[in-house]
């Protein structure tokens, strides 16, 4: 089968794979990629720079480390300087390991890589010899992956190949498009819901205490964790209530809508809860009386399918009860 047919089949597979909602990044994930490279040749004399379309298949041993098998279709031209102007084609197989920086769920993840490759090029009837040029290379490189969704990513990078036969280097710049599926998604278990406080039991002869309550519901802009000025008054009311009843403690619970990766939303909800805690502390509440917890997108109160519902879900909630004097 010609390479272009193989690439066409692979592209179709990439598009089909992105339709599976269960696909995820992280440990245990598989990445399949199509790439195209511009190769700058220095290891073979009288050969001009070429191009290398190819495919890569990788497996994540951890959330950050992957092992990748690569195949590239070499395409060069021997320069017309007395050696003959000829097309030179071949294959290059590689085994590499990539280390990814950042955390699972980040949109941008830089990486570094290293490994070994073996190349074989077609017969060149020039310089008094015939036969295929077969060489082994040590390879290194760096680049960045942009996760457009949880499962679809684009890659750009540079690589350098050291030819063991003659101690010379080849270089290439490449771009790629791939899918990522089958991993654990880097998910962490959500924080357990706090156990409800037991209801106070009054002695039969004692008068029933009056319970007073204050609640807080702070809304946030999309992808933001900054308390808006129009919510300062509501937060201050909660702070004043807690200063009036110094035995009270509060949990401020952060939430997000469903847009974006789960791991990113978990962190965003924690930042929102921390932001409200900071305002409470600034208003005079002791830090050890406030617990901030992020619940990510796991506890929606409205329909995430609508913009109005998502705006309601981008929130921080709190509720405090006390017995009136």
């Amino acid at each position: 089968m010609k390479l272009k047919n193989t690439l066409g089949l692979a592209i179709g597979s990439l598009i089909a794979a992105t339709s599976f909602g269960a696909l995820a990044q992280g440990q245990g994930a598989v990445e399949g990629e199509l790439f195209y490279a511009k190769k700058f040749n220095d290891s073979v004399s009288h050969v001009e720079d070429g191009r290398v379309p190819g495919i890569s298949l990788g497996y994540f041993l951890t959330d950050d480390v992957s092992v990748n098998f690569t195949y590239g279709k070499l395409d060069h031209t021997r320069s017309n300087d007395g050696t003959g102007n000829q097309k030179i084609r071949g294959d290059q197989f590689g085994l590499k390991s990539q280390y990814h920086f950042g955390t699972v769920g980040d949109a941008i993840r830089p990486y570094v890589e290293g490994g070994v490759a073996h190349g074989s090029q077609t017969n060149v009837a020039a310089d008094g010899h015939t036969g295929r040029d077969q060489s082994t290379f040590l390879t290194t490189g760096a680049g960045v992956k942009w996760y457009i969704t949880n499962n679809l990513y684009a890659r750009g990078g540079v690589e350098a190949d050291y030819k063991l036969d003659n101690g010379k280097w080849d270089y290439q710049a490449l771009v790629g498009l791939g899918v990522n599926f089958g991993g654990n998604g880097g998910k962490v278990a959500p924080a357990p819901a706090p156990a409800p406080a037991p209801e106070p039991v009054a002695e039969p002869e004692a008068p029933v205490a009056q319970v007073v309550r204050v609640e807080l519901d702070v809304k946030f802009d999309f992808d933001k964790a900054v308390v808006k000025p129009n919510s300062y008054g509501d937060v201050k009311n909660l702070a004043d209530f807690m200063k009036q009843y110094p035995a009270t403690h509060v949990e401020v619970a952060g939430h997000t809508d469903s847009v974006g990766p789960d791991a990113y939303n978990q962190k965003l909800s924690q930042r929102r809860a921390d932001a409200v805690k900071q305002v409470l502390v600034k208003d005079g509440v002791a830090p050890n009386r406030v617990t901030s917890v992020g619940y990510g997108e796991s506890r929606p109160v409205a329909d995430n399918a609508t913009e109005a519902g998502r705006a309601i879900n981008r929130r921080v909630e709190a509720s405090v009860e006390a017995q009136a004097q």
Side-chain angles (χ1 to χ4, degrees):
M1 179 182 292
K2 294 183 178 179
L3 179 61
K4 63 181 181 180
N5 294 334
T6 304
L7 296 181
L9 178 61
I11 291 172
S13 300
L14 296 184
I15 297 173
T18 58
S19 64
F20 292 93
L23 309 186
Q25 304 171 38
Q27 182 177 8
V30 174
E31 281 191 347
E33 178 188 306
L34 304 178
F35 65 82
Y36 183 90
K38 173 66 174 180
K39 194 171 187 70
F40 302 94
N41 173 71
D42 188 46
S43 65
V44 181
S45 300
H46 309 296
V47 173
E48 298 178 351
D49 299 337
R51 54 193 178 91
V52 185
I55 59 176
S56 173
L57 184 65
Y59 177 78
F60 276 76
L61 303 176
T62 71
D63 285 349
D64 303 320
V65 178
S66 67
V67 175
N68 304 274
F69 172 80
T70 63
Y71 169 75
K73 192 70 175 176
L74 304 175
D75 189 350
H76 294 278
T77 301
R78 179 173 284 276
S79 60
N80 190 10
D81 56 1
T83 59
N85 189 345
Q86 306 172 43
K87 283 291 184 181
I88 301 176
R89 294 184 173 88
D91 307 285
Q92 183 165 311
F93 299 88
L95 183 64
K96 307 173 184 178
S97 179
Q98 291 182 341
Y99 179 83
H100 300 75
F101 298 93
T103 58
V104 175
D106 290 347
I108 301 296
R109 296 201 71 184
Y111 70 88
V112 293
E113 67 179 12
V116 63
H118 182 78
S120 174
Q121 298 187 94
T122 54
N123 175 49
V124 180
D127 296 334
H129 74 84
T130 59
R132 298 180 69 88
D133 177 42
Q134 301 195 46
S135 304
T136 300
F137 300 84
L138 297 181
T139 180
T140 185
V144 65
K145 292 180 180 178
W146 171 35
Y147 287 90
I148 304 167
T149 70
N150 263 342
N151 315 117
L152 178 66
Y153 70 92
R155 176 169 75 106
V158 293
E159 296 179 358
D161 296 335
Y162 177 76
K163 189 173 183 180
L164 296 177
D165 300 351
N166 59 15
K168 293 185 177 182
W169 292 85
D170 289 342
Y171 306 91
Q172 63 182 14
L174 60 85
V175 293
L177 181 67
V179 293
N180 182 302
F181 59 93
N184 62 14
K187 292 183 179 179
V188 297
E199 293 292 333
V201 179
E203 296 293 334
E205 295 79 16
V208 177
Q210 181 182 2
V211 176
V212 291
R213 177 197 300 265
V214 65
E215 296 183 346
L216 178 67
D217 188 358
V218 177
K219 295 296 191 291
F220 288 80
D221 291 334
F222 175 73
D223 201 27
K224 301 295 182 183
V226 178
V227 179
K228 295 186 284 188
N230 61 5
S231 296
Y232 287 164
D234 294 336
V235 180
K236 187 177 185 302
N237 288 340
L238 175 59
D240 292 342
F241 181 91
M242 295 185 68
K243 287 187 284 186
Q244 181 181 354
Y245 299 97
T248 56
H249 293 73
V250 67
E251 177 191 279
V252 288
H255 306 274
T256 71
D257 59 30
S258 62
V259 178
D262 293 349
Y264 178 82
N265 285 337
Q266 177 68 34
K267 295 177 183 178
L268 176 60
S269 67
Q270 184 64 52
R271 295 201 305 269
R272 288 174 174 170
D274 291 340
V276 173
K277 177 179 178 177
Q278 290 176 5
V279 178
L280 284 171
V281 171
K282 184 178 179 181
D283 286 341
V285 180
N288 61 358
R289 297 177 60 198
V290 183
T291 302
S292 58
V293 179
Y295 291 99
E297 61 185 66
S298 64
R299 298 186 176 185
V301 295
D303 187 359
N304 274 310
T306 67
E307 176 54 38
R310 292 191 293 271
I312 293 173
N313 289 330
R314 299 191 292 265
R315 69 197 191 280
V316 167
E317 297 176 327
S319 177
V320 184
E321 289 185 353
Q323 291 185 355
Q325 299 293 335

